[in-house]
Amino acid sequence: MQLRHGWASFELLREGSPPYRATVSDSTDVFRVLVEGARLVLDTGARQEFSFDNEPGEIRWTLEPHGDSLSLRVAMHPEWGRGPGEERWTAEEIDPRVFASDVLSSTAELISSLGVEGFHRSWPSYPYPVAEVEALKEILGTS
């Protein structure tokens, strides 16, 4: 994940398929939402759905646990919250711990490259999700 001038870009990779790339605006607390979504999937085993503002429209992620694996669906909604949206990317049989580790790693790389002050300058609407990152680290057993 990258941060540029209040917008966040992410890239999803799946073997045998082209990557999915998207950029979302600063009207969504992207980093907290992703970290918390990954934590909740591991902690509760419950389906998680969250959205990012794409101006116009929304990008909606659905994380669906299936026993020891996870599916991820990304849909584009031209109008916020309306209709089922157009599927843009899916993946099945994802290891939830690997997914959560990737989210954590991307977030750690971001703060490492920008620093806390740089993060706040680039993303002034939302603080760096310290508590959420620490909670995810605890579940993953990392420091």
Side-chain angles (χ1 to χ4, degrees):
M1 184 166 328
Q2 297 176 334
L3 179 66
R4 290 190 313 269
H5 311 292
W7 290 70
S9 297
F10 56 84
E11 179 178 70
L12 299 171
L13 305 171
R14 177 182 61 206
E15 191 173 313
S17 296
Y20 174 73
R21 294 179 181 95
T23 300
V24 296
S25 82
D26 64 354
S27 63
T28 309
D29 192 355
V30 175
F31 307 99
R32 185 194 58 76
V33 167
L34 281 172
V35 170
E36 188 65 358
R39 183 193 69 78
L40 287 168
V41 163
L42 290 177
D43 197 29
T44 68
R47 178 180 188 266
Q48 301 299 310
E49 186 172 282
F50 42 87
S51 295
F52 305 112
D53 195 350
N54 196 45
E55 294 184 18
E58 85 180 282
I59 296 174
R60 188 177 305 159
W61 286 33
T62 304
L63 303 172
E64 185 78 44
H66 305 281
D68 292 337
S69 70
L70 175 71
S71 65
L72 169 58
R73 178 180 184 264
V74 178
M76 179 65 188
H77 297 257
E79 293 184 54
W80 190 270
R82 296 197 178 181
E86 178 186 324
E87 191 170 278
R88 294 291 174 95
W89 193 86
T90 61
E92 302 290 329
E93 299 184 20
I94 301 168
D95 182 322
R97 293 184 65 79
V98 170
F99 174 80
S101 293
D102 287 348
V103 168
L104 187 60
S105 167
S106 294
T107 305
E109 287 172 22
L110 177 68
I111 201 70
S112 176
S113 68
L114 291 176
V116 173
E117 291 301 316
F119 181 92
H120 291 299
R121 276 192 305 275
S122 296
W123 202 268
S125 298
Y126 302 100
Y128 182 74
V130 174
E132 290 83 355
V133 166
E134 291 305 315
L136 184 54
K137 284 181 180 179
E138 184 176 325
I139 287 174
L140 289 170
T142 62
S143 54

